[in-house]
Amino acid sequence: MGLTLKIYNYQTYILILLWVSGMVKPFINTYLGNFDIVLFALFVACVDIVFQIATKIKVPSKEYLLAFLVILCLYIYIAISLTFTKSGFYGYEKTINLAPNLVFFLYSSSLKKINMSLFVKAYCILLIPLAFFFIYMKSIVWQVDNESTRIFKDLRNYYLSIGLQLGLLLILCYYRYRKVWLIALVFFLLIASSARAALLFIILTFIIFELIRILRVRVKKNFIYIGSVSLLFVVGLVIGFKNKLMPLLATSFTRFYVLFKGGGKSSTERSNFNNFTSFFFR
């Protein structure tokens, strides 16, 4: 899984930089020193957008500009909601963190050519090792007391970011590579990340996509056979290594149990904020 450094692939590298910058930022700041990779990625993307427009290589279409206007209106609404929210500093922080999405969307309209194979390879090389590290450290953070775990305690709350990225990678791997081992690996990491919303969203996405595909194309016998064998193989691995896998998955199972039971601090707080907003607009 090698990477190619060619000038016509530069937009692919800028896109992957934008894609993962928010996820890797806290890890870079914690282990390598203060460097705002998100601002750096935004700066690089903005320079390329200006270059594309100035040289008329790629100018956003009217449809893209209209979609951008809709997203901008949504962002304005979010900013207005700060006047009545009870979230306080958290609300302002979230609003600021959403702003880069405007640049992300604009940059997608200035893309001339994307090497998807290169994109997925770079995505795997960046995300999978980081996910392994995060899941392992999360599984021992309350069991081992040393400098590494003490430093990591401030990073354990970024499981949602890791889970979201793993979910997106799972979709790309499934529909781009079709490599069973890679799909199974990413799916395992997604479960172990404890990101409930990401996992549920990905499962729902797959169900919808596959229903559409089945309605359009007849299911091939070979696909069913390969899928069945792969499922048995994965189940066998889980049973064979359950003593090592269960500590990694314990937190995830607990969080999903709390979700379906109807409790949990994070779910309760979000429900309370939603009820407050609904009351405000009555």
Side-chain angles (χ1 to χ4, degrees):
M1 190 177 286
L3 299 181
T4 56
L5 294 174
K6 297 181 179 179
I7 187 65
Y8 55 79
N9 286 325
Y10 83 94
Q11 284 193 320
T12 303
Y13 288 109
I14 295 177
L15 183 62
I16 192 67
L17 179 64
L18 285 170
W19 198 283
V20 303
S21 59
M23 176 190 66
V24 301
K25 177 182 176 180
F27 295 91
I28 290 177
N29 290 345
T30 299
Y31 293 106
L32 301 179
N34 290 328
F35 175 70
D36 199 328
I37 191 173
V38 174
L39 286 180
F40 175 75
L42 291 175
F43 173 77
V44 174
C46 288
V47 170
D48 191 42
I49 291 172
V50 173
F51 172 75
Q52 297 289 330
I53 295 176
T55 56
K56 296 183 180 180
I57 296 178
K58 187 75 183 256
V59 179
S61 63
K62 292 182 179 179
E63 291 77 12
Y64 250 106
L65 293 177
L66 178 61
F68 176 77
L69 180 61
V70 172
I71 296 176
L72 182 62
C73 290
L74 173 63
Y75 186 78
I76 292 174
Y77 165 75
I78 294 173
I80 292 175
S81 70
L82 294 175
T83 60
F84 61 83
T85 182
K86 283 187 174 182
S87 300
F89 175 78
Y90 180 77
Y92 287 96
E93 182 182 25
K94 283 292 185 181
T95 303
I96 294 174
N97 289 339
L98 282 173
N101 291 308
L102 300 175
V103 178
F104 297 163
F105 185 83
L106 267 182
Y107 188 67
S108 65
S109 68
S110 67
L111 295 174
K112 184 180 180 182
K113 183 180 180 181
I114 289 296
N115 186 333
M116 281 304 300
S117 178
L118 175 62
F119 180 88
V120 176
K121 288 178 181 178
Y123 202 9
C124 290
I125 291 172
L126 289 171
L127 179 57
I128 291 178
L130 181 61
F132 267 113
F133 168 77
F134 179 84
I135 292 168
Y136 170 73
M137 292 299 296
K138 183 172 65 69
S139 67
I140 68 169
V141 68
W142 300 115
Q143 301 175 15
V144 179
D145 184 19
N146 56 32
E147 185 178 358
S148 297
T149 54
R150 286 193 291 269
I151 293 174
F152 181 80
K153 283 181 180 179
D154 292 332
L155 295 172
R156 70 185 190 279
N157 292 326
Y158 289 96
Y159 66 93
L160 289 175
S161 178
I162 297 289
L164 172 62
Q165 296 287 351
L166 287 169
L168 295 174
L169 178 59
L170 183 62
I171 292 176
L172 288 174
C173 288
Y174 183 78
Y175 289 103
R176 184 70 188 183
Y177 276 104
R178 288 285 186 174
K179 292 183 178 179
V180 175
W181 69 268
L182 184 57
I183 295 171
L185 173 62
V186 177
F187 185 67
F188 165 76
L189 293 174
L190 176 57
I191 295 176
S193 70
S194 303
R196 298 172 297 184
L199 180 59
L200 293 175
F201 173 76
I202 294 304
I203 292 175
L204 181 61
T205 300
F206 274 122
I207 291 174
I208 294 174
F209 282 6
E210 289 305 304
L211 283 176
I212 294 174
R213 187 184 65 83
I214 292 172
L215 291 175
R216 290 181 177 179
V217 183
R218 290 186 304 174
V219 179
K220 296 181 179 180
K221 293 182 179 180
N222 289 338
F223 181 78
I224 297 176
Y225 173 76
I226 294 174
S228 301
V229 173
S230 301
L231 180 61
L232 291 174
F233 178 73
V234 172
V235 171
L237 284 178
V238 172
I239 295 174
F241 295 95
K242 63 180 180 179
N243 292 332
K244 294 183 178 180
L245 293 177
M246 288 309 296
L248 293 176
L249 301 176
T251 304
S252 298
F253 290 149
T254 302
R255 286 180 54 79
F256 277 100
Y257 172 75
V258 171
L259 173 65
F260 291 112
K261 186 180 178 181
K265 182 179 179 182
S266 61
S267 301
T268 303
E269 289 179 351
R270 282 192 288 268
S271 177
N272 291 338
F273 281 129
N274 182 62
N275 291 336
F276 173 77
T277 304
S278 301
F279 176 80
F280 181 85
F281 282 107
R282 287 176 183 174

